[in-house]
Amino acid sequence: NSKNLSQTWKKMSKILTNCLIASQKPGQVLNIASNLALVRYASTGTPKSAQAQAKVSSEKKPSEKPAESPSFAMNLFRGQMRLDEIFPYPSSLNEEQRDILQSLVDPTAKFFEEKNDSLKNDKLETVPDDIMQGLKDLGAFGLQTPVEHNGLGLNNTQYARLVEIVGSHDLGIGIVLGAHQSIGFKGILLFGNPEQKAKYLPKLATGENVAAFALTEPASGSDAASIKTRAVPSADGKHWTLNGSKIWISNGGFAEVFTVFAKTPVKDEKTGEVKDKVTAFIVERKFGGVKNGPPEKKMGIKCSNTAEVYFEDVKIPAENVLGGIGNGFKVAMNILNAGRFGMAAALSGTMKFSIAKAVEHATNRNQFGKQIIHYGTIQEKLARMAMLQYATESMAYMVSANMDKGSLEFQIEAAISKVFASESAWAVTDEAVQVLGGMGFMRDAGLERVLRDIRIFRIFEGTNDILRLFIALQGMNYAGKHLKELQKKVQSFDLGTILTEGKKRIGRQIGMQNIPSLTEHVPTQLSNSAGLASKAVVDFGQTVESVLVKYGKRVTEEQFVVNRIAQSTIDIFGMFVVLSRAARSINTNSPSGDHEAALANLFCYEASKRLEQNLRDALDGKFVESTKMMSKIAKDLSQNGHTVPAHPLGF
Amino acid sequence: MPLRILVGCKRAIDYAVKVRNHFISETKFNLNNAKIQVKSDFSGVVTEGVKHALNPFDEIAMEEAVRLKEKKLASEVIAVSCGPAQSQDVLRTALALGADKAVHVEVPGKEYETLQPIHVSKILAKLAEQEKVDLIILGKQAIDDDCNQTGQMTAAVLNWPQATFASKLQITDGDKEATCEREIDGGLETIKIKLPAVITADLRLNTPRYATLPNIMKAKKKPLKKISPKDLGVDISPRQEIVRVAEPPKRQGGGKVSSSEELTERIKKLGVV
């Protein structure tokens, strides 16, 4: 018996040693200078916590226990299924808010159906004055601004519902409005002091002044912390002088109020060292020195103005610092984070439009003696389109509801929804064009404009590539902190923890995992998919731990692997989201319950197949070999300047 | 003395709702995407789950009333709707467009199916008297039944002058007269009528404004009174029995003929000549 015990203990300690190794390395991840920007991304807090952090020093005490997060996505990385924010499908509107929203939906839709002409806007590459004024009169410029500041005071879910309407009609206008209120002056809403709010919000909400978000520079896109625009304080501290140039600023051609991000010299209180840190400023065009370039010619969202903005010795009053000196990066990341759900909502509306066009065509177009909807090829396309739209919509309204309910940690879910929405919208509209055949390619069918408008959504507001890395690294950072905590408990001979954690890992090794059950949360129609989803959580957690063990601190450089983790996170979140929504519909006897079950089950089936592949690749030597091939190929390309192979004809 | 105006607001199926595409079979998805179709018992058209809105001609009537108020020629605009509980939606719209207060004359579902202009005209007449109204502006007809009777009947009940199919309206001689341009079969006719009077709005009278979202939210605070036809002493028992409602017969294909002789023969065969 004692022999068995010592063998078991040997096994457990071996497994736990691996955990210790894994737990140490991620802890060091935070100290690497090279991937600092990415890691900074990963360590950014969320709006409310950011406001708190803006006032308190960001110095972290070494003995602090890692915080528990209620976020579903975060806990996935620990192999845990935390359902508070997912089941049941959250709703955040009370009776009155629902009533108000319902009364706003039709009038908003009516304006876009009857007055706005999206094809005309695309052709003119501008928004006609009467439409712009109509939008201002409609109240569309201050949807989330508090009522006391001339706004409509809508919460995130109400905003999402209206933005969905805009998205289904005219994404160009969507960007004009979004650049203004979702990022342009969002900083004032999130970080402004009462004086700043009272001064700026009233005219912004009515659209008398239009706002813009000025972060990106020619040499600083994804690497936002590297911006060169600078603001230096005056000797008397009463104003700052701003110099620099920004590119691709939506509304840049006519905005009156800019949220500008610039490097400012900041003195460290303790060391006396002066370092450059990013600070956010509210800059008015009328301060003087603000100029803009001509409108950029773009692939899509043509009616939205995009321009370079130059700041030459612009004098900014000291009271226009936004969110505190040196906190600009956090302000920027929080603004973008807070707006991401809106994109998912808008694009779910866009997809509805594309799908309606495709279905209309498929049910009317007759080839080879039948309406083409009778053919499997078309059915697969339409079904996938419907499935992607359903998942996007479910994500958008889940994130918005959780934000409304006061969730502080939604940055991974928000990022997932942006990535998923933008890629789905592109795929859906592309397939819609395909279903329409030649007609889809023609301007008057109205689809090619939508496709061109959609393309930018994978690029701006955080490229999907960066967001994928963010999703995975944020999660692994969280997992790593908890592994570190585990390490401490082992070292202090916390037997309870040792036995539990040891048992868990041995269980995994011998194939007897304790898979948490989802069945009590879902109706029988969804049981199989629920099983796939809960197994995915365990497999994912295991893979993450093994990846951390294998690579340690180097994991931030292993983008090939990190991307598999990221894609898996997105797929798992998607599975849970559609299950939650379908479960609610079935449980409330919605007439579309059966259809939703089909969508959810299809999504889970396909996602689980992708997961199997991605999680395997993340640890597979063969995959690593293939990535080495990719790196070599890329290197050869960079040396050659273009494709490398000699021509098959020899010349 | 600025005028007090009563505007009729009917909740009718939205003009943009399409007729059911017959390829797709009976759908159970009772979402707002529902199209127009005849009920399976041929007693009427399905209204449940179908998108409704303020009757377009009533929107035009509302716009005209609000413009008169903006010109300071009117002091109060009262919106009225007769129908089931959902009629309050169009009254909220009317309030958002600029009405000062609204009256909902509640007529529950079953009775509403047989409510006709003869009843509505009496209701409007009674309300006009109670509210001491100087001008009643109605849409020329509702787009669901196309009756084109309520305005004319209301004027008759009140024994007021009427100017129907108005495409231009001017209040003249203080507030005692109105000059109206009417669209008639032969063209345009201009008449002068004494107030109080009933006007019915035609398409070209004006272009209605869009309700702004802030006004929609403010409209929630404006007064909306609910009464029943009984409160006005109006009897709404049915005067008609609906026998059958059906779709128009499917259009039959035509045919080509090669000569005028063949044409004559074919027409004779059809028994038309």
Side-chain angles (χ1 to χ4, degrees), chain A residues 349-365:
Chain A
T350 313
M351 283 188 263
K352 271 193 175 144
F353 169 83
S354 305
I355 292 171
K357 279 262 183 225
V359 170
E360 187 194 5
H361 183 85
T363 50
N364 283 306
R365 176 71 171 175

Side-chain angles (χ1 to χ4, degrees), chain A residues 99-100 103-104 106-108 110-111 114-115 137-139 143 152 162 363-364 371 373-374 591-592 595, chain B residues 15-16 18 21 23-24 28-32 51-52 59 92 209-217 220:
Chain A
D99 191 48
I100 288 176
S103 65
L104 300 178
D106 280 347
T108 307
K110 194 172 154 146
F111 181 86
E114 294 178 11
K115 197 143 187 223
D137 293 339
L138 187 65
L143 297 172
L152 290 177
L162 295 188
T363 50
N364 283 306
Q371 272 100 357
I373 196 167
H374 287 109
S592 59
H595 181 90
Chain B
Y15 79 92
K18 295 200 175 85
N21 175 346
F23 162 75
I24 299 173
K28 41 195 163 110
F29 305 135
N30 204 13
L31 309 169
N32 271 342
K51 186 157 185 245
H52 283 65
E59 263 181 5
R92 290 274 165 230
R209 66 196 60 195
Y210 288 87
T212 69
L213 305 184
N215 281 347
I216 290 168
M217 294 189 46
K220 297 207 177 294

Side-chain angles (χ1 to χ4, degrees), chain A residues 382-510:
Chain A
L382 293 178
R384 284 249 168 72
M385 288 156 75
M387 176 189 80
L388 290 175
Q389 191 280 336
Y390 182 71
T392 303
E393 193 178 67
S394 308
M395 284 186 194
Y397 288 97
M398 179 178 283
V399 174
S400 72
N402 281 323
M403 286 169 75
D404 286 337
K405 283 164 123 184
S407 167
L408 293 177
E409 292 239 299
F410 55 84
Q411 63 271 30
I412 297 188
E413 288 84 347
I416 292 176
S417 70
K418 188 265 186 188
V419 171
F420 188 85
S422 52
E423 294 184 357
S424 297
W426 176 258
V428 165
T429 307
D430 185 42
E431 281 287 58
V433 169
Q434 189 69 16
V435 169
L436 263 68
M439 270 321 284
F441 199 65
M442 302 301 144
R443 175 185 292 166
D444 287 339
L447 268 178
E448 62 81 34
R449 170 195 60 87
V450 177
L451 193 61
R452 285 186 289 105
D453 287 347
I454 287 177
R455 187 59 186 83
I456 189 66
F457 283 76
R458 287 159 54 190
I459 299 173
F460 64 15
E461 291 231 3
T463 61
N464 287 6
D465 314 284
I466 286 293
L467 288 179
R468 283 195 151 81
L469 298 174
F470 168 73
I471 288 166
L473 292 177
Q474 260 262 294
M476 290 198 279
N477 184 23
Y478 177 72
K481 281 200 206 141
H482 281 270
L483 281 175
K484 205 170 179 188
E485 186 64 18
L486 175 61
Q487 167 200 14
K488 275 194 236 146
K489 286 196 169 155
V490 171
Q491 283 176 333
S492 63
F493 290 104
D494 180 342
L495 275 173
T497 308
I498 293 173
L499 282 170
T500 328
E501 295 293 328
K503 205 158 79 175
K504 205 196 307 180
R505 283 162 177 79
I506 291 176
R508 271 193 224 152
Q509 299 234 336
I510 61 178

Side-chain angles (χ1 to χ4, degrees), chain A residues 314-333:
Chain A
V314 182
K315 274 173 84 165
I316 312 173
E319 58 264 23
N320 277 27
V321 169
L322 188 61
I325 299 172
N327 288 317
F329 192 80
K330 280 202 186 80
V331 170
M333 294 306 113

